[in-house]
């Protein structure tokens, strides 16, 4: 094994130090939020919480456990994330498969129109008026209307284009139709890109806030992010400062809700990120 020279050692030390620093900066807000959520009222208001919790109490989480509105919003978010991601992936996968086919009629035109939507956006007001005119003001509307992102279709299209044509030709000679080519050849050979795009869609759906708040009038259909924002904005109305039986602060309740909302992401994200680099590289090679 070759010995590392001084410049390589310095580079590695600096690289590791920067990565560790970045990891600390990323994890600290999560650790701090959790610490505040289980800390006592006096400890938080005195400003003594820096990293670890003090005067530990789980009363804020007990409050959430019996908050019916919180769980309704949580269920709505799961609904939008699961069905919305499935719908988005169906449209993106089938669209990407068709767009990479050289025999597709007007293929260049369709690909140009897809990229055109990334260059020129219609504007916020035009989008809002369009959504309102189409009746995008319910659960089904939110799932269907936000089903496609051009960038994700391009990633999948490029990943499908990297599949060797010899494999497709051999499968056709064996009698495979388009459905079998799509499900048995292209999808298994593009697992990394599919997992990456699924992650993109799922995170986008889970964090969806702006359009849900603008378009959904029924509070029973609003996702968790909207509920959290409204709770944080109005927490003084929801929390009685004069209640001597409460051992947690108003901010502890808000932080407890935030921690509860990110638990599914923290659980699922590590299992998918291993595909991220490979998936983006596969989908970004060909134009």
């Amino acid at each position: 094994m070759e010995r590392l020279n001084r410049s390589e050692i310095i580079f590695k030390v600096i690289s590791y130090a920067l990565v560790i620093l970045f990891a600390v900066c990323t994890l600290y807000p999560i650790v701090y939020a959790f610490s505040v959520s289980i800390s006592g009222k006096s400890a938080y208001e005195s400003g003594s919480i820096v990293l670890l919790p003090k005067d530990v109490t789980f009363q804020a989480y007990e409050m959430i456990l019996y908050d019916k509105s919180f769980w309704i919003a949580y269920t709505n978010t799961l609904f939008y994330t699961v069905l919305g991601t499935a719908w988005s992936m169906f449209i993106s996968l089938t669209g990407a498969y068709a767009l990479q086919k050289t025999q597709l009629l007007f293929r260049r035109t369709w690909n140009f129109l897809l990229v055109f939507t990334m260059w020129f956006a219609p504007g916020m007001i035009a989008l809002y008026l369009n959504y309102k005119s189409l009746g995008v003001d319910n659960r089904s509307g939110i799932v269907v209307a936000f089903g496609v992102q051009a960038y994700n279709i391009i990633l999948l299209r490029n990943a499908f284009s990297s599949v060797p044509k010899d494999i497709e030709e051999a499968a056709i000679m064996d009698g495979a139709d388009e459905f079998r080519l799509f499900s048995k050849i292209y999808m298994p050979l593009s697992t990394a890109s599919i997992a990456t795009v699924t992650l993109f869609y799922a995170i986008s759906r889970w964090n969806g806030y702006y359009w849900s708040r603008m378009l959904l009038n029924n509070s029973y259909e609003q996702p968790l992010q909207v509920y959290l924002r409204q709770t944080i904005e109005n927490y003084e109305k929801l929390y009685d400062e004069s209640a001597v039986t409460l051992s947690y602060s108003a901010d502890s309740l808000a932080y407890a809700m935030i921690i509860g909302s990110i638990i599914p992401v923290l659980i699922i994200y590590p299992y998918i990120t291993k595909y991220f680099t490979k998936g983006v590289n596969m989908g970004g090679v060909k134009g």
Side-chain angles (χ1 to χ4, degrees), residues 97 100 156-169 181 184-191 282 286:
Y97 177 74
Q100 62 86 30
L156 291 174
R157 182 201 66 188
N158 294 344
F160 289 159
S161 298
S162 64
V163 174
K165 297 303 178 183
D166 295 341
I167 299 178
E168 179 181 355
E169 293 173 359
L181 289 174
K184 302 297 183 180
I185 303 296
Y186 281 89
M187 289 187 63
L189 293 177
S190 306
T191 304
M282 288 181 62
K286 294 186 178 181

PDB file of all heavy atoms in Angstrom, residues 97 100 156-169 181 184-191 282 286:
ATOM      1  N   TYR A  97     -40.796   6.029 -20.549  1.00  0.00           N
ATOM      2  CA  TYR A  97     -40.601   4.861 -21.420  1.00  0.00           C
ATOM      3  C   TYR A  97     -40.987   5.184 -22.858  1.00  0.00           C
ATOM      4  O   TYR A  97     -40.287   4.810 -23.804  1.00  0.00           O
ATOM      5  CB  TYR A  97     -41.441   3.689 -20.907  1.00  0.00           C
ATOM      6  CG  TYR A  97     -41.367   2.458 -21.773  1.00  0.00           C
ATOM      7  CD1 TYR A  97     -40.229   1.663 -21.784  1.00  0.00           C
ATOM      8  CD2 TYR A  97     -42.435   2.095 -22.585  1.00  0.00           C
ATOM      9  CE1 TYR A  97     -40.158   0.528 -22.575  1.00  0.00           C
ATOM     10  CE2 TYR A  97     -42.382   0.969 -23.386  1.00  0.00           C
ATOM     11  CZ  TYR A  97     -41.240   0.187 -23.381  1.00  0.00           C
ATOM     12  OH  TYR A  97     -41.177  -0.928 -24.175  1.00  0.00           O
ATOM     13  N   GLN A 100     -38.396   7.694 -24.669  1.00  0.00           N
ATOM     14  CA  GLN A 100     -37.079   7.202 -25.070  1.00  0.00           C
ATOM     15  C   GLN A 100     -37.149   6.274 -26.281  1.00  0.00           C
ATOM     16  O   GLN A 100     -36.117   5.852 -26.796  1.00  0.00           O
ATOM     17  CB  GLN A 100     -36.409   6.490 -23.888  1.00  0.00           C
ATOM     18  CG  GLN A 100     -37.133   5.265 -23.373  1.00  0.00           C
ATOM     19  CD  GLN A 100     -36.797   3.983 -24.099  1.00  0.00           C
ATOM     20  OE1 GLN A 100     -35.688   3.830 -24.604  1.00  0.00           O
ATOM     21  NE2 GLN A 100     -37.747   3.064 -24.150  1.00  0.00           N
ATOM     22  N   LEU A 156     -35.779   9.679 -15.620  1.00  0.00           N
ATOM     23  CA  LEU A 156     -36.184   8.314 -15.947  1.00  0.00           C
ATOM     24  C   LEU A 156     -35.992   8.024 -17.434  1.00  0.00           C
ATOM     25  O   LEU A 156     -35.576   6.917 -17.808  1.00  0.00           O
ATOM     26  CB  LEU A 156     -37.641   8.100 -15.547  1.00  0.00           C
ATOM     27  CG  LEU A 156     -37.930   8.089 -14.042  1.00  0.00           C
ATOM     28  CD1 LEU A 156     -39.425   8.018 -13.788  1.00  0.00           C
ATOM     29  CD2 LEU A 156     -37.235   6.915 -13.369  1.00  0.00           C
ATOM     30  N   ARG A 157     -36.284   8.989 -18.273  1.00  0.00           N
ATOM     31  CA  ARG A 157     -36.088   8.795 -19.712  1.00  0.00           C
ATOM     32  C   ARG A 157     -34.635   8.500 -20.030  1.00  0.00           C
ATOM     33  O   ARG A 157     -34.318   7.583 -20.804  1.00  0.00           O
ATOM     34  CB  ARG A 157     -36.543  10.055 -20.469  1.00  0.00           C
ATOM     35  CG  ARG A 157     -36.433   9.945 -21.984  1.00  0.00           C
ATOM     36  CD  ARG A 157     -36.388  11.330 -22.607  1.00  0.00           C
ATOM     37  NE  ARG A 157     -35.178  12.038 -22.231  1.00  0.00           N
ATOM     38  CZ  ARG A 157     -34.946  13.326 -22.512  1.00  0.00           C
ATOM     39  NH1 ARG A 157     -35.862  14.033 -23.138  1.00  0.00           N
ATOM     40  NH2 ARG A 157     -33.821  13.899 -22.142  1.00  0.00           N
ATOM     41  N   ASN A 158     -33.718   9.264 -19.434  1.00  0.00           N
ATOM     42  CA  ASN A 158     -32.299   9.044 -19.682  1.00  0.00           C
ATOM     43  C   ASN A 158     -31.827   7.711 -19.114  1.00  0.00           C
ATOM     44  O   ASN A 158     -30.948   7.054 -19.684  1.00  0.00           O
ATOM     45  CB  ASN A 158     -31.487  10.192 -19.083  1.00  0.00           C
ATOM     46  CG  ASN A 158     -31.753  11.514 -19.780  1.00  0.00           C
ATOM     47  OD1 ASN A 158     -32.307  11.536 -20.874  1.00  0.00           O
ATOM     48  ND2 ASN A 158     -31.370  12.604 -19.153  1.00  0.00           N
ATOM     49  N   ALA A 159     -32.397   7.323 -17.980  1.00  0.00           N
ATOM     50  CA  ALA A 159     -32.040   6.025 -17.415  1.00  0.00           C
ATOM     51  C   ALA A 159     -32.510   4.893 -18.325  1.00  0.00           C
ATOM     52  O   ALA A 159     -31.782   3.916 -18.553  1.00  0.00           O
ATOM     53  CB  ALA A 159     -32.657   5.875 -16.029  1.00  0.00           C
ATOM     54  N   PHE A 160     -33.721   5.009 -18.864  1.00  0.00           N
ATOM     55  CA  PHE A 160     -34.227   4.000 -19.789  1.00  0.00           C
ATOM     56  C   PHE A 160     -33.396   3.974 -21.073  1.00  0.00           C
ATOM     57  O   PHE A 160     -33.201   2.918 -21.672  1.00  0.00           O
ATOM     58  CB  PHE A 160     -35.694   4.262 -20.120  1.00  0.00           C
ATOM     59  CG  PHE A 160     -36.630   3.972 -18.976  1.00  0.00           C
ATOM     60  CD1 PHE A 160     -37.892   4.543 -18.939  1.00  0.00           C
ATOM     61  CD2 PHE A 160     -36.270   3.124 -17.959  1.00  0.00           C
ATOM     62  CE1 PHE A 160     -38.767   4.274 -17.899  1.00  0.00           C
ATOM     63  CE2 PHE A 160     -37.130   2.844 -16.906  1.00  0.00           C
ATOM     64  CZ  PHE A 160     -38.378   3.416 -16.875  1.00  0.00           C
ATOM     65  N   SER A 161     -32.932   5.141 -21.495  1.00  0.00           N
ATOM     66  CA  SER A 161     -32.137   5.208 -22.727  1.00  0.00           C
ATOM     67  C   SER A 161     -30.794   4.503 -22.577  1.00  0.00           C
ATOM     68  O   SER A 161     -30.186   4.102 -23.581  1.00  0.00           O
ATOM     69  CB  SER A 161     -31.902   6.670 -23.130  1.00  0.00           C
ATOM     70  OG  SER A 161     -33.128   7.324 -23.408  1.00  0.00           O
ATOM     71  N   SER A 162     -30.323   4.372 -21.342  1.00  0.00           N
ATOM     72  CA  SER A 162     -29.032   3.713 -21.113  1.00  0.00           C
ATOM     73  C   SER A 162     -29.132   2.192 -21.109  1.00  0.00           C
ATOM     74  O   SER A 162     -28.101   1.512 -21.054  1.00  0.00           O
ATOM     75  CB  SER A 162     -28.443   4.181 -19.774  1.00  0.00           C
ATOM     76  OG  SER A 162     -29.259   3.774 -18.688  1.00  0.00           O
ATOM     77  N   VAL A 163     -30.347   1.656 -21.165  1.00  0.00           N
ATOM     78  CA  VAL A 163     -30.516   0.200 -21.229  1.00  0.00           C
ATOM     79  C   VAL A 163     -30.030  -0.295 -22.593  1.00  0.00           C
ATOM     80  O   VAL A 163     -30.459   0.233 -23.631  1.00  0.00           O
ATOM     81  CB  VAL A 163     -31.990  -0.189 -21.003  1.00  0.00           C
ATOM     82  CG1 VAL A 163     -32.194  -1.690 -21.209  1.00  0.00           C
ATOM     83  CG2 VAL A 163     -32.432   0.218 -19.607  1.00  0.00           C
ATOM     84  N   PRO A 164     -29.151  -1.278 -22.640  1.00  0.00           N
ATOM     85  CA  PRO A 164     -28.620  -1.772 -23.932  1.00  0.00           C
ATOM     86  C   PRO A 164     -29.741  -2.239 -24.859  1.00  0.00           C
ATOM     87  O   PRO A 164     -30.625  -2.998 -24.443  1.00  0.00           O
ATOM     88  CB  PRO A 164     -27.717  -2.938 -23.518  1.00  0.00           C
ATOM     89  CG  PRO A 164     -27.331  -2.642 -22.109  1.00  0.00           C
ATOM     90  CD  PRO A 164     -28.518  -1.966 -21.500  1.00  0.00           C
ATOM     91  N   LYS A 165     -29.698  -1.793 -26.097  1.00  0.00           N
ATOM     92  CA  LYS A 165     -30.727  -2.157 -27.062  1.00  0.00           C
ATOM     93  C   LYS A 165     -30.645  -3.636 -27.445  1.00  0.00           C
ATOM     94  O   LYS A 165     -31.644  -4.209 -27.895  1.00  0.00           O
ATOM     95  CB  LYS A 165     -30.602  -1.284 -28.309  1.00  0.00           C
ATOM     96  CG  LYS A 165     -30.826   0.204 -28.043  1.00  0.00           C
ATOM     97  CD  LYS A 165     -32.185   0.463 -27.421  1.00  0.00           C
ATOM     98  CE  LYS A 165     -32.384   1.943 -27.122  1.00  0.00           C
ATOM     99  NZ  LYS A 165     -33.690   2.182 -26.437  1.00  0.00           N
ATOM    100  N   ASP A 166     -29.466  -4.235 -27.267  1.00  0.00           N
ATOM    101  CA  ASP A 166     -29.337  -5.658 -27.575  1.00  0.00           C
ATOM    102  C   ASP A 166     -30.258  -6.503 -26.698  1.00  0.00           C
ATOM    103  O   ASP A 166     -30.827  -7.505 -27.150  1.00  0.00           O
ATOM    104  CB  ASP A 166     -27.892  -6.109 -27.378  1.00  0.00           C
ATOM    105  CG  ASP A 166     -26.947  -5.447 -28.360  1.00  0.00           C
ATOM    106  OD1 ASP A 166     -27.449  -4.948 -29.391  1.00  0.00           O
ATOM    107  OD2 ASP A 166     -25.726  -5.436 -28.109  1.00  0.00           O
ATOM    108  N   ILE A 167     -30.414  -6.081 -25.435  1.00  0.00           N
ATOM    109  CA  ILE A 167     -31.292  -6.819 -24.528  1.00  0.00           C
ATOM    110  C   ILE A 167     -32.741  -6.702 -24.985  1.00  0.00           C
ATOM    111  O   ILE A 167     -33.496  -7.683 -24.988  1.00  0.00           O
ATOM    112  CB  ILE A 167     -31.137  -6.294 -23.091  1.00  0.00           C
ATOM    113  CG1 ILE A 167     -29.700  -6.487 -22.617  1.00  0.00           C
ATOM    114  CG2 ILE A 167     -32.121  -6.981 -22.153  1.00  0.00           C
ATOM    115  CD1 ILE A 167     -29.441  -5.950 -21.216  1.00  0.00           C
ATOM    116  N   GLU A 168     -33.131  -5.499 -25.398  1.00  0.00           N
ATOM    117  CA  GLU A 168     -34.503  -5.287 -25.883  1.00  0.00           C
ATOM    118  C   GLU A 168     -34.759  -6.108 -27.145  1.00  0.00           C
ATOM    119  O   GLU A 168     -35.818  -6.752 -27.278  1.00  0.00           O
ATOM    120  CB  GLU A 168     -34.742  -3.807 -26.168  1.00  0.00           C
ATOM    121  CG  GLU A 168     -36.142  -3.511 -26.697  1.00  0.00           C
ATOM    122  CD  GLU A 168     -36.355  -2.042 -26.990  1.00  0.00           C
ATOM    123  OE1 GLU A 168     -35.431  -1.237 -26.694  1.00  0.00           O
ATOM    124  OE2 GLU A 168     -37.431  -1.693 -27.496  1.00  0.00           O
ATOM    125  N   GLU A 169     -33.800  -6.098 -28.077  1.00  0.00           N
ATOM    126  CA  GLU A 169     -33.971  -6.849 -29.321  1.00  0.00           C
ATOM    127  C   GLU A 169     -34.075  -8.349 -29.059  1.00  0.00           C
ATOM    128  O   GLU A 169     -34.881  -9.053 -29.683  1.00  0.00           O
ATOM    129  CB  GLU A 169     -32.810  -6.545 -30.261  1.00  0.00           C
ATOM    130  CG  GLU A 169     -32.798  -5.108 -30.760  1.00  0.00           C
ATOM    131  CD  GLU A 169     -31.536  -4.779 -31.548  1.00  0.00           C
ATOM    132  OE1 GLU A 169     -30.675  -5.692 -31.665  1.00  0.00           O
ATOM    133  OE2 GLU A 169     -31.412  -3.644 -32.035  1.00  0.00           O
ATOM    134  N   LEU A 181     -41.503  -5.731 -21.991  1.00  0.00           N
ATOM    135  CA  LEU A 181     -40.252  -4.990 -22.091  1.00  0.00           C
ATOM    136  C   LEU A 181     -40.151  -3.949 -20.969  1.00  0.00           C
ATOM    137  O   LEU A 181     -39.092  -3.781 -20.349  1.00  0.00           O
ATOM    138  CB  LEU A 181     -40.165  -4.290 -23.449  1.00  0.00           C
ATOM    139  CG  LEU A 181     -39.936  -5.165 -24.683  1.00  0.00           C
ATOM    140  CD1 LEU A 181     -40.022  -4.318 -25.949  1.00  0.00           C
ATOM    141  CD2 LEU A 181     -38.587  -5.867 -24.601  1.00  0.00           C
ATOM    142  N   LYS A 184     -40.274  -6.078 -17.345  1.00  0.00           N
ATOM    143  CA  LYS A 184     -39.274  -7.117 -17.110  1.00  0.00           C
ATOM    144  C   LYS A 184     -37.855  -6.711 -17.515  1.00  0.00           C
ATOM    145  O   LYS A 184     -36.890  -7.338 -17.065  1.00  0.00           O
ATOM    146  CB  LYS A 184     -39.662  -8.388 -17.879  1.00  0.00           C
ATOM    147  CG  LYS A 184     -41.031  -8.948 -17.520  1.00  0.00           C
ATOM    148  CD  LYS A 184     -41.091  -9.391 -16.064  1.00  0.00           C
ATOM    149  CE  LYS A 184     -42.456 -10.020 -15.751  1.00  0.00           C
ATOM    150  NZ  LYS A 184     -42.543 -10.465 -14.325  1.00  0.00           N
ATOM    151  N   ILE A 185     -37.730  -5.702 -18.365  1.00  0.00           N
ATOM    152  CA  ILE A 185     -36.400  -5.295 -18.846  1.00  0.00           C
ATOM    153  C   ILE A 185     -36.017  -3.915 -18.317  1.00  0.00           C
ATOM    154  O   ILE A 185     -35.039  -3.759 -17.581  1.00  0.00           O
ATOM    155  CB  ILE A 185     -36.333  -5.299 -20.389  1.00  0.00           C
ATOM    156  CG1 ILE A 185     -36.697  -6.683 -20.941  1.00  0.00           C
ATOM    157  CG2 ILE A 185     -34.950  -4.874 -20.856  1.00  0.00           C
ATOM    158  CD1 ILE A 185     -35.735  -7.784 -20.549  1.00  0.00           C
ATOM    159  N   TYR A 186     -36.806  -2.904 -18.668  1.00  0.00           N
ATOM    160  CA  TYR A 186     -36.424  -1.523 -18.378  1.00  0.00           C
ATOM    161  C   TYR A 186     -36.494  -1.195 -16.882  1.00  0.00           C
ATOM    162  O   TYR A 186     -35.564  -0.572 -16.335  1.00  0.00           O
ATOM    163  CB  TYR A 186     -37.298  -0.552 -19.174  1.00  0.00           C
ATOM    164  CG  TYR A 186     -36.863  -0.418 -20.610  1.00  0.00           C
ATOM    165  CD1 TYR A 186     -37.356  -1.267 -21.588  1.00  0.00           C
ATOM    166  CD2 TYR A 186     -35.939   0.551 -20.983  1.00  0.00           C
ATOM    167  CE1 TYR A 186     -36.940  -1.157 -22.904  1.00  0.00           C
ATOM    168  CE2 TYR A 186     -35.518   0.681 -22.295  1.00  0.00           C
ATOM    169  CZ  TYR A 186     -36.021  -0.179 -23.248  1.00  0.00           C
ATOM    170  OH  TYR A 186     -35.604  -0.066 -24.556  1.00  0.00           O
ATOM    171  N   MET A 187     -37.575  -1.590 -16.226  1.00  0.00           N
ATOM    172  CA  MET A 187     -37.695  -1.254 -14.808  1.00  0.00           C
ATOM    173  C   MET A 187     -36.654  -1.949 -13.930  1.00  0.00           C
ATOM    174  O   MET A 187     -36.017  -1.292 -13.099  1.00  0.00           O
ATOM    175  CB  MET A 187     -39.118  -1.539 -14.319  1.00  0.00           C
ATOM    176  CG  MET A 187     -40.149  -0.579 -14.866  1.00  0.00           C
ATOM    177  SD  MET A 187     -41.789  -0.811 -14.134  1.00  0.00           S
ATOM    178  CE  MET A 187     -41.463  -0.417 -12.417  1.00  0.00           C
ATOM    179  N   PRO A 188     -36.426  -3.255 -14.082  1.00  0.00           N
ATOM    180  CA  PRO A 188     -35.394  -3.891 -13.249  1.00  0.00           C
ATOM    181  C   PRO A 188     -33.988  -3.338 -13.480  1.00  0.00           C
ATOM    182  O   PRO A 188     -33.178  -3.300 -12.546  1.00  0.00           O
ATOM    183  CB  PRO A 188     -35.481  -5.369 -13.660  1.00  0.00           C
ATOM    184  CG  PRO A 188     -36.866  -5.545 -14.178  1.00  0.00           C
ATOM    185  CD  PRO A 188     -37.185  -4.265 -14.868  1.00  0.00           C
ATOM    186  N   LEU A 189     -33.685  -2.901 -14.702  1.00  0.00           N
ATOM    187  CA  LEU A 189     -32.365  -2.368 -14.996  1.00  0.00           C
ATOM    188  C   LEU A 189     -32.221  -0.893 -14.634  1.00  0.00           C
ATOM    189  O   LEU A 189     -31.143  -0.310 -14.798  1.00  0.00           O
ATOM    190  CB  LEU A 189     -32.041  -2.565 -16.483  1.00  0.00           C
ATOM    191  CG  LEU A 189     -31.870  -4.016 -16.941  1.00  0.00           C
ATOM    192  CD1 LEU A 189     -31.630  -4.087 -18.438  1.00  0.00           C
ATOM    193  CD2 LEU A 189     -30.732  -4.691 -16.186  1.00  0.00           C
ATOM    194  N   SER A 190     -33.294  -0.284 -14.161  1.00  0.00           N
ATOM    195  CA  SER A 190     -33.264   1.143 -13.789  1.00  0.00           C
ATOM    196  C   SER A 190     -33.714   1.333 -12.352  1.00  0.00           C
ATOM    197  O   SER A 190     -34.283   2.376 -12.009  1.00  0.00           O
ATOM    198  CB  SER A 190     -34.165   1.951 -14.736  1.00  0.00           C
ATOM    199  OG  SER A 190     -33.825   1.733 -16.086  1.00  0.00           O
ATOM    200  N   THR A 191     -33.446   0.347 -11.511  1.00  0.00           N
ATOM    201  CA  THR A 191     -33.921   0.389 -10.131  1.00  0.00           C
ATOM    202  C   THR A 191     -33.418   1.613  -9.373  1.00  0.00           C
ATOM    203  O   THR A 191     -34.174   2.252  -8.629  1.00  0.00           O
ATOM    204  CB  THR A 191     -33.480  -0.886  -9.384  1.00  0.00           C
ATOM    205  OG1 THR A 191     -33.950  -2.037 -10.093  1.00  0.00           O
ATOM    206  CG2 THR A 191     -34.049  -0.897  -7.974  1.00  0.00           C
ATOM    207  N   MET A 282     -27.126   7.960 -13.451  1.00  0.00           N
ATOM    208  CA  MET A 282     -27.687   7.204 -14.571  1.00  0.00           C
ATOM    209  C   MET A 282     -28.680   8.033 -15.360  1.00  0.00           C
ATOM    210  O   MET A 282     -28.758   7.959 -16.570  1.00  0.00           O
ATOM    211  CB  MET A 282     -28.365   5.937 -14.055  1.00  0.00           C
ATOM    212  CG  MET A 282     -27.417   4.852 -13.569  1.00  0.00           C
ATOM    213  SD  MET A 282     -28.323   3.408 -13.005  1.00  0.00           S
ATOM    214  CE  MET A 282     -29.156   2.929 -14.524  1.00  0.00           C
ATOM    215  N   LYS A 286     -27.285  10.976 -20.406  1.00  0.00           N
ATOM    216  CA  LYS A 286     -27.716  11.254 -21.776  1.00  0.00           C
ATOM    217  C   LYS A 286     -28.717  12.382 -21.805  1.00  0.00           C
ATOM    218  O   LYS A 286     -29.523  12.554 -20.908  1.00  0.00           O
ATOM    219  CB  LYS A 286     -28.345   9.998 -22.395  1.00  0.00           C
ATOM    220  CG  LYS A 286     -27.331   8.869 -22.571  1.00  0.00           C
ATOM    221  CD  LYS A 286     -27.968   7.712 -23.320  1.00  0.00           C
ATOM    222  CE  LYS A 286     -26.965   6.594 -23.559  1.00  0.00           C
ATOM    223  NZ  LYS A 286     -27.534   5.478 -24.302  1.00  0.00           N
TER     224      LYS A 286
END
